[in-house]
């Protein structure tokens, strides 16, 4: 699943000791494994090879330029949702023909930047947005390709904050309105409506929501083709899960086995498939290193107070998300064989792993069974590569963590830790 392993009792990322990174770079810091990134991208590419998809890595999951550049080198395109992400994708060397752009609230300047760059596909989320894109394209005397993001009303059975393909969410256009949409806009000369887009939610731990959504999209496509519309692209979106616990998520091959047979006939007839995976590529490729500042006992509770909290990793407090957390140098009896919510070793103690911020909601884990820890211990928060640094904040004037990319026994600081001067630089 990844290249974070305990060697002689000490956590390594590939062949580099986690402690050596923290000693050199300080904590908190994000550490990414290049080999894991490359491997997860390869697994998706191989699993879906029969439909030759354009794999557009979802920049929002981890936008670090070196991470993006690594994936561009693997042949990935990029899925972006803002002018900032478009800028990042281009700065990472992604060719415009590999870029797809979704988002419910694209501003005029962002649309203009996408048109000027000549990206592959703008995924359109409303009638009003389409009219605006068409106007801007007309004024520039440019053309662009658009896909209609349809809301298939399929329940991905995930957290309500990240459910996006059900009727009550703000995303896409109801599938029942899609034909009317194509009739109204399908003949525009500047904004050419050539595809359909889906993104049902994230993480989606089962394959049948994809099957339902893709079947609905293909049935709609048949109706549109029968009416004479050109629908040459189907963007299936992202949402494949990652292993927050060992063996928890379906593999890329399992998602592909469920989805590819449904897509294949249309692909043989010329349909281009786009995938937008983020989490399934980068989540297991990253950890967050944080140092225990104090251990505090209050009544029957134990708190491990760390130098990273919700500022560095928001997911536990925002989504109630589970991240396996473990010392980088546990005693021999505590070297973990699997990452699980309920480790069964003798001698573990229950504790809350909390951050330094001034909120009770500032935690990384509550009531967690962990080896005893003491001041100065380094902890690894696993599966933190996706939506970790990309959702980090400077709350409580916390400088953003450093990011490090490991390649074998070499590591490179790919984002330096912010300084106090960085915190105030835009206010001077
Ligand atoms: N495509 C679109 C249109 C999306 O909105 C997303 C994610 C993706 C692709 C990539 O999904 P992925 O393959 O990474 O699951 N912050 C949340 C996740 C929000 C996902 C938002 N959209 C979290 O930490 O769980």
């Amino acid at each position: 699943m990844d290249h974070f392993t305990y060697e002689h009792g000490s956590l390594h990322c590939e062949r580099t000791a986690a402690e050596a990174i923290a000693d050199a770079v300080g904590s908190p810091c994000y550490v990414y494994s290049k080999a894991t990134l490359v491997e997860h991208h390869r697994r998706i590419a191989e699993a879906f090879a029969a439909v030759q998809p354009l794999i557009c890595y979802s920049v929002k999951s981890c936008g670090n330029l070196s991470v993006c550049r690594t994936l561009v080198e693997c042949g990935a395109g990029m899925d972006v949702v803002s002018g900032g992400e478009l800028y990042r994708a281009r700065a990472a060397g992604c060719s415009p023909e590999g870029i797809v752009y979704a988002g419910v609230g694209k501003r005029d300047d962002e649309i203009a930047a996408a048109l000027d760059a000549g990206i592959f596909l703008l995924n359109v989320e409303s009638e009003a947005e389409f009219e605006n894109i068409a106007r801007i394209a007309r004024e520039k005397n440019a053309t662009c390709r658009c896909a209609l993001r349809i809301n298939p009303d399929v329940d991905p059975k995930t957290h309500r904050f990240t459910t996006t393909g059900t009727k009550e969410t703000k995303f896409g256009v109801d599938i029942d309105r899609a034909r009317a949409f194509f009739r109204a806009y399908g003949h525009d000369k500047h904004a050419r409506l050539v595809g359909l887009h889906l993104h049902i939610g994230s993480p989606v731990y089962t394959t049948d929501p994809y099957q339902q959504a893709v079947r609905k999209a293909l049935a709609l496509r048949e109706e549109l083709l029968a009416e004479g519309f050109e629908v040459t692209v189907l963007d299936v979106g992202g949402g494949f899960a990652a292993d927050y616990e060992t063996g928890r998520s379906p593999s890329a091959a399992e998602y592909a086995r469920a989805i590819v047979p449904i897509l294949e006939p249309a692909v043989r007839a010329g349909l281009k498939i786009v995938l937008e995976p983020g989490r399934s590529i980068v989540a297991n490729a990253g950890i967050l290193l944080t140092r225990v500042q104090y251990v505090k006992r209050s009544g029957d509770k134990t708190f491990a107070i760390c130098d990273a909290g919700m500022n560095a990793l928001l997911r536990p407090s925002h989504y109630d998300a589970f991240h396996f957390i473990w010392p980088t140098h546990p005693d021999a009896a505590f070297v973990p064989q699997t990452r699980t919510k309920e480790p069964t070793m003798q001698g573990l103690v229950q504790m809350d792993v909390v951050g330094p911020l001034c909120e009770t909601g500032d935690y990384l884990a509550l009531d967690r069974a962990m080896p005893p820890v003491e001041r100065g211990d380094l902890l690894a928060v696993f599966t933190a590569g996706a939506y970790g640094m990309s959702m980090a904040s400077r709350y409580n004037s916390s400088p953003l963590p450093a990011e490090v990319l490991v390649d074998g026994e070499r590591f490179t600081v790919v984002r330096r830790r912010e300084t106090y001067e960085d915190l105030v630089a835009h206010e001077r």
Side-chain angles (χ1 to χ4, degrees):
M1 119 180 111
D2 58 51
H3 293 262
F4 294 96
T5 51
Y6 284 84
E7 310 290 338
H8 308 293
S10 123
L11 181 67
H12 281 62
C13 174
E14 304 188 16
R15 291 194 300 285
T16 303
E19 185 82 47
I21 297 173
D23 284 349
V25 175
S27 63
C29 89
Y30 278 94
V31 177
Y32 307 109
S33 151
K34 184 171 180 181
T36 311
L37 282 173
V38 171
E39 183 176 325
H40 282 278
H41 174 269
R42 181 183 53 77
R43 285 185 194 176
I44 294 173
E46 284 179 7
F48 284 88
V51 294
Q52 289 291 300
L54 172 62
I55 299 176
C56 293
Y57 167 66
S58 197
V59 173
K60 67 176 83 68
S61 60
C62 177
N64 183 284
L65 278 187
S66 298
V67 168
C68 291
R69 210 174 285 124
T70 300
L71 292 164
V72 168
E73 282 163 13
C74 295
M78 303 269 139
D79 154 48
V80 304
V81 290
S82 66
E85 287 191 356
L86 175 59
Y87 186 85
R88 251 178 210 286
R90 299 291 287 129
C94 187
S95 115
E97 297 93 71
I99 298 177
V100 298
Y101 185 171
V104 289
K106 300 179 193 77
R107 289 193 316 257
D108 291 9
D109 61 300
E110 296 177 306
I111 293 167
L115 295 180
D116 291 345
I119 67 168
F120 177 60
L121 202 60
L122 277 141
N123 291 329
V124 182
E125 308 235 9
S126 65
E127 287 84 351
E129 186 200 340
F130 185 90
E131 287 176 14
N132 196 36
I133 293 172
R135 174 188 63 81
I136 296 171
R138 198 166 51 245
E139 284 170 9
K140 285 180 168 291
N141 198 22
T143 57
C144 62
R145 276 177 301 269
C146 298
L148 172 62
R149 178 167 180 176
I150 50 171
N151 186 322
D153 200 26
V154 165
D155 183 358
K157 302 187 187 79
T158 191
H159 195 283
R160 72 186 172 90
F161 289 178
T162 56
T163 292
T164 48
T166 57
K167 265 207 162 79
E168 61 281 5
T169 65
K170 67 180 174 182
F171 296 99
V173 167
D174 282 356
I175 192 158
D176 327 330
R177 273 205 341 264
R179 283 168 74 177
F181 195 106
F182 269 75
R183 284 177 196 148
Y185 303 117
H187 299 290
D188 196 283
K189 295 275 176 299
H190 292 278
R192 290 177 41 233
L193 202 48
V194 298
L196 296 172
H197 175 228
L198 294 165
H199 173 72
I200 55 176
S202 164
V204 185
Y205 278 100
T206 49
T207 53
D208 64 287
Y210 284 105
Q211 294 180 311
Q212 289 175 44
V214 166
R215 283 203 181 98
K216 286 189 178 185
L218 290 176
L220 168 64
R221 175 171 180 261
E222 287 304 317
E223 292 173 8
L224 293 169
L225 292 180
E227 287 196 35
F229 295 110
E230 188 195 3
V231 187
T232 53
V233 183
L234 175 60
D235 182 341
V236 178
F240 300 158
D243 264 351
Y244 291 91
E245 292 182 84
T246 306
R248 169 84 206 283
S249 67
S251 63
E254 283 168 277
Y255 287 109
R257 263 201 297 281
I259 304 167
V260 165
I262 304 172
L263 293 174
E264 255 179 331
V267 169
R268 271 198 298 274
L271 182 66
K272 176 80 193 155
I273 302 299
V274 179
L275 299 175
E276 301 174 345
R279 187 192 311 271
S280 51
I281 291 179
V282 74
N284 283 111
I287 60 170
L288 171 65
L289 292 175
T290 178
R291 218 174 268 288
V292 177
Q293 302 302 303
Y294 303 102
V295 177
K296 168 162 153 178
R297 292 188 181 81
S298 260
D300 57 357
K301 283 202 74 99
T302 299
F303 297 96
I305 302 168
C306 302
D307 60 8
M310 65 191 280
N311 55 322
L313 181 65
L314 185 60
R315 304 192 71 261
S317 68
H318 193 53
Y319 307 112
D320 223 0
F322 170 81
H323 287 262
F324 186 72
I325 305 177
W326 212 254
T328 59
H329 287 82
D331 286 350
F334 296 126
V335 173
Q337 301 309 316
T338 56
R339 301 179 200 150
T340 161
K341 277 186 183 152
E342 279 150 11
T344 52
M345 301 149 182
Q346 296 295 312
L348 299 177
V349 287
Q350 298 295 124
M351 65 184 79
D352 288 3
V353 183
V354 301
L357 308 189
C358 58
E359 292 202 18
T360 305
D362 175 34
Y363 58 83
L364 298 173
L366 296 179
D367 210 19
R368 185 67 65 81
M370 299 256 296
V373 295
E374 34 185 78
R375 173 171 164 79
D377 283 355
L378 189 64
L379 303 182
V381 184
F382 289 85
T383 323
Y387 308 105
M389 185 65 173
S390 65
M391 292 176 77
S393 78
R394 299 180 180 85
Y395 188 36
N396 281 202
S397 285
S398 321
L400 288 177
E403 291 175 290
V404 166
L405 182 63
V406 173
D407 183 4
E409 61 281 309
R410 275 189 316 134
F411 72 87
T412 311
V413 176
V414 291
R415 182 186 167 102
R416 67 166 172 79
R417 179 179 311 289
E418 286 189 345
T419 63
Y420 293 142
E421 184 50 34
D422 291 332
L423 291 180
V424 297
H426 297 276
E427 299 156 34
R428 294 239 186 246

